Amino acid sequence: MSQLETDMTTDVTARAAEVLKEHRASIDRLDAILVYTLGERFKHTQAVGKLKAQHDLPPSDPSREATQIARLEDLAVQADLDPEFAKAFLNFIIQEVIHHHEKHQESGA
């Protein structure tokens, strides 16, 4: 391999490493956004759970859950995200929320 070919390969490899670094930095920022967004979401669902417990409402609302899952599947398609993944992700969150709501019911608030 000539020196020119070696230099070109090194340049391509260095550029690939830089692009990889940029992608990873974006992923790290998005992970932080996801965590803080989930934290904010759970603050609201905790308040809903307390309100439901105070008014003796059931911890789950299957009609709302179905509507939300359909809405999220539509958003996933628009965002070019696998709708089945989005559905599974929301189902996981919903189960966690219901668990929290049930704990509020048991504690009476």
Side-chain angles (χ1 to χ4, degrees):
M1 182 180 283
S2 73
Q3 185 60 43
L4 179 60
E5 290 172 323
T6 301
D7 290 346
M8 288 174 51
T9 301
T10 301
D11 288 345
V12 169
T13 302
R15 180 64 187 138
E18 185 60 33
V19 170
L20 179 62
K21 183 179 174 182
E22 291 167 6
H23 283 302
R24 287 180 172 164
S26 292
I27 289 166
D28 293 349
R29 283 190 301 274
L30 291 166
D31 285 345
I33 290 167
L34 285 171
V35 168
Y36 279 97
T37 300
L38 284 171
E40 189 65 24
R41 187 186 195 286
F42 276 99
K43 287 176 191 173
H44 288 282
T45 60
Q46 289 287 347
V48 167
K50 289 177 184 177
L51 186 63
K52 285 181 173 185
Q54 291 166 352
H55 296 280
D56 199 29
L57 297 170
S60 69
D61 182 346
S63 174
R64 167 135 171 95
E65 293 159 21
T67 299
Q68 286 299 94
I69 288 170
R71 181 177 149 280
L72 191 70
E73 285 178 306
D74 288 342
L75 288 171
V77 169
Q78 292 171 34
D80 198 26
L81 179 67
D82 177 3
E84 288 302 312
F85 170 79
K87 182 178 176 179
F89 181 70
L90 186 60
N91 274 320
F92 173 77
I93 291 172
I94 288 170
Q95 291 310 307
E96 186 65 19
V97 168
I98 290 169
H99 174 71
H100 290 172
H101 290 186
E102 289 169 344
K103 285 172 45 179
H104 288 300
Q105 293 283 337
E106 292 168 4
S107 71

